[in-house]
Amino acid sequence: MNRIKVFPGILLLLMLLLQIPALAQITLPSLIQDGMVLQRDARLKIWGWASPGEKINITFNGKRASATTAADGKWQATLPAMKAGGPYTMVLKGRNTLTLKDVLVGDVWFCSGQSNMVHQLSRHHIAYAEDIAAANYPQIRHFWIPTTTNLQGPAKDLSAGTWKTANPEDVNEFSAVAYFFARKLHKQYRIPIGLINASVGGTPIEAWMSEDGLQDFPDAITAIGRNRDTSYVNGLNRKAAAAAASNRQKPEQDKGLTGAVTWFDTAYVPKGWQNINVPGYWEDQGIRDLNGSVWYRREIEVPAAMAGVPAMVHLGRIVDADFLYINGKQVGHTSYQYPQRRYSLPASVLKPGKNVLVVRVLNTAGKGGFIPDKPYYIEANGQTLDLKGTWQYKVGEVCPPAAGGGGGGLNAQNQPTALYNAMVAPAVNYAIKGVLWYQGESNAGNPGAYKKLLPALISDWRGKWQQENLPFLYVQLPNFMDVNYLPSESNWALMREAALETLKVPNTAMAVTIDLGEWNDIHPGNKKDVGLRLALAAQKLVYGEKKLVSSGPLYQSAQVEGDKIRISFTDTGSGLIAIDDEELAWFAIAGEDKKFVWAKARIEGDTVVVWSEEVPQPKYVRYAWTDNPFGANLYNKEQLPASPFRTDR
């Protein structure tokens, strides 16, 4: 057999060559790219990766910085602070050269929280159509961080992301709250504004905190350690999947789809359908505890002027999923309950005279159907057709309840540190002006813990960004759910109190939104005023406008005066008012027994005097202490609402 001879010297050379890594190129983290906004008046960390020992030189806006790559392949350089301006070009040179263009220097805000911070302008394209069309602000830029999780520890970099400017196309991807905040500040101060958005719907505050920040919360620390065990996590998910499969009973096939003629077909002749009102839940209209599908059908007369032209169908909100058919064609579908149903119709869909609308609604838990107090109509050619009223319905599918539990798997995005590790930690080297935070709905089940968690998050992030007084602006939860016309306890009121008490943390500010919510929508449509109130808070707290009235009245103290209690406030501005010129509403009073009753209240200067003939010896007062104090009317003359409060905390 032939053998290849290798001389010892050549062998040694080959071995040495095999130990030499390929020459690495300079690579940069996702945030550092063309079009980025850098923080003014702050030392700027620029970092990345290259070959160990490689020298990196940076030039930017007449400034220079350099670094030598460490053994682990990471380098970091620091540029000196500079004033707002741009666009500039940044050049990075090592073994290769990178050139970053269109770089601005201004104020960068880190925006985070859950779905109400997520909600993009595209979700509100009808309400804010003019704002979207007028978006021509090349110095307002937004970096959207994709949803990712990491249970093992802080990631080195974000998964992806691109800086985009505020133009009529790209602004649709901006957080609506963050955009209106940025637009106000940009117009006011004529500086570039950068928005880094790390927010995920339905997530608890613990997911956004680091392991260091959760040290005082033993349950979270236990969960962090447990979740690092991938065999545990994988086993849990496999077990949950197996349990779900074994418990799953095959539902009855949907009769509306399996018959000789489908129920949305124009050839279908309806038989055995019953009347039902839209909007409304079917459980409230004669269908008891049904999980499955219910078909809705209605014939409408379309005038000639609305036919043969593009149209829009507004179907409010539906719990949970829906399929819309018009004249036998599917024209819309949404898979979950939260989005507003707005379906665009091509010109060919509506015809003059009779048109048949069919909606297949699927629901798996709770009440199903059409949520009340939402828009239900068709619009075309400047005219509208009301869709509220009597429809016909028929049950198409019944899903029997599963036999037993089985439990769910591990939802990573709800686990302690999971979102911090993946979506926040990679950004903490990036200098920022401050934080915008809109979150809390997912923690409303335990408001007592939130009173500790929110200040802990602030301290945690300030430590990670190494900014002891990093400005932190947050949104107090709005009014939501049914109006309760009796004094009652409320977790949402306790969550608002947690936010109010967090103002004790220095360099924080709160936007009160008790008047901006909707009873039937955890995602209220008014995002503009939320952003503008955050901007007001920033103007006073961060931008030095100390005389600006940036908040509504905030509870300060209470004084018992005989059979009355006098409440004093801060942030009264030009004076207290009832915004609707009616008697003050939503004040309750109690004696030592804490049995609250509705009270009379009147404004006296910068105070409110509260009393009730039913409580001759009063001790405590509450204001707007309920899930949804609709019509709470105590404001200052700057038309900013008072925060809910209680004196018996």
Side-chain angles (χ1 to χ4, degrees), residues 445-457:
N446 190 358
Y450 201 78
K451 289 186 179 183
K452 299 178 181 178
L453 285 162
L454 183 55
L457 172 79

Side-chain angles (χ1 to χ4, degrees), residues 12-22:
L12 180 60
L13 178 61
L14 288 171
M15 292 175 65
L16 290 172
L17 287 172
L18 289 173
Q19 294 178 33
I20 298 175

Side-chain angles (χ1 to χ4, degrees), residues 149-170:
T149 60
N150 192 321
L151 297 175
Q152 300 306 309
K156 292 181 179 180
D157 195 12
L158 302 171
S159 60
T162 304
W163 285 96
K164 296 193 174 182
T165 63
N167 58 65
E169 179 179 354
D170 290 333

Side-chain angles (χ1 to χ4, degrees), residues 233-257:
V233 173
N234 293 336
L236 188 67
N237 288 336
R238 283 195 299 268
K239 183 178 179 181
S246 64
N247 284 330
R248 189 179 301 120
Q249 297 186 20
K250 185 177 180 180
E252 178 184 353
Q253 289 186 321
D254 196 315
K255 296 176 182 177
L257 298 173

Side-chain angles (χ1 to χ4, degrees), residues 107-407:
D107 283 346
V108 181
W109 289 86
F110 193 83
C111 313
S112 190
Q114 53 185 109
S115 50
N116 279 307
M117 184 62 83
V118 172
H119 261 228
Q120 297 160 307
L121 277 166
S122 59
R123 289 277 190 96
H124 304 272
H125 66 279
I126 293 179
Y128 298 128
E130 293 182 3
D131 297 288
I132 293 170
N136 183 22
Y137 301 100
Q139 290 194 334
I140 299 177
R141 301 185 179 179
H142 185 275
F143 186 97
W144 184 269
I145 299 177
T147 298
T148 46
T149 60
N150 192 321
L151 297 175
Q152 300 306 309
K156 292 181 179 180
D157 195 12
L158 302 171
S159 60
T162 304
W163 285 96
K164 296 193 174 182
T165 63
N167 58 65
E169 179 179 354
D170 290 333
V171 79
N172 282 284
E173 299 180 28
F174 284 40
S175 158
V177 166
Y179 173 68
F180 289 118
F181 169 86
R183 191 180 70 175
K184 172 65 175 176
L185 296 184
H186 176 65
K187 286 184 174 181
Q188 185 75 19
Y189 303 113
R190 298 296 175 185
I191 57 171
I193 301 291
L195 304 166
I196 302 173
N197 194 319
S199 48
V200 179
T203 53
I205 191 172
E206 296 93 329
W208 294 103
M209 298 172 66
S210 75
E211 185 172 359
D212 293 334
L214 287 166
Q215 288 302 312
D216 291 335
F217 302 91
D219 289 347
I221 295 299
T222 299
I224 292 167
R226 187 173 59 230
N227 292 340
R228 285 203 179 104
D229 183 350
T230 55
S231 62
Y232 163 78
V233 173
N234 293 336
L236 188 67
N237 288 336
R238 283 195 299 268
K239 183 178 179 181
S246 64
N247 284 330
R248 189 179 301 120
Q249 297 186 20
K250 185 177 180 180
E252 178 184 353
Q253 289 186 321
D254 196 315
K255 296 176 182 177
L257 298 173
T258 57
V261 181
T262 59
W263 291 356
F264 62 82
D265 196 292
T266 54
Y268 173 72
V269 178
K271 294 181 180 179
W273 291 60
Q274 302 179 68
N275 288 344
I276 195 168
N277 195 60
V278 171
Y281 300 104
W282 63 60
E283 277 86 354
D284 296 334
Q285 301 184 71
I287 305 176
R288 183 175 179 179
D289 298 333
L290 171 69
N291 293 329
S293 75
V294 176
W295 292 72
Y296 292 73
R297 188 177 192 275
R298 181 170 176 176
E299 296 181 2
I300 59 172
E301 290 290 323
V302 175
M306 295 181 67
V309 297
M312 177 79 73
V313 180
H314 299 256
L315 282 178
R317 280 183 52 225
I318 298 173
V319 182
D320 287 305
D322 66 284
F323 298 82
L324 170 64
Y325 308 89
I326 299 181
N327 298 329
K329 297 180 180 179
Q330 182 178 322
V331 294
H333 166 58
T334 303
S335 61
Y336 65 111
Q337 66 170 295
Y338 290 116
Q340 292 273 0
R341 271 51 169 188
R342 301 185 182 108
Y343 296 130
S344 298
L345 305 182
S348 59
V349 173
L350 295 180
K351 60 184 182 180
K354 187 180 81 170
N355 290 252
V356 179
L357 274 67
V358 176
V359 185
R360 178 178 177 240
V361 179
L362 290 81
N363 183 54
T364 57
K367 291 185 176 182
F370 296 79
I371 292 181
D373 198 21
K374 293 291 181 182
Y376 294 90
Y377 62 93
I378 298 176
E379 61 175 331
N381 202 21
Q383 299 184 43
T384 61
L385 283 173
D386 191 2
L387 297 178
K388 296 190 298 293
T390 302
W391 290 53
Q392 279 72 49
Y393 81 90
K394 193 169 186 177
V395 175
E397 180 179 11
V398 177
C399 298

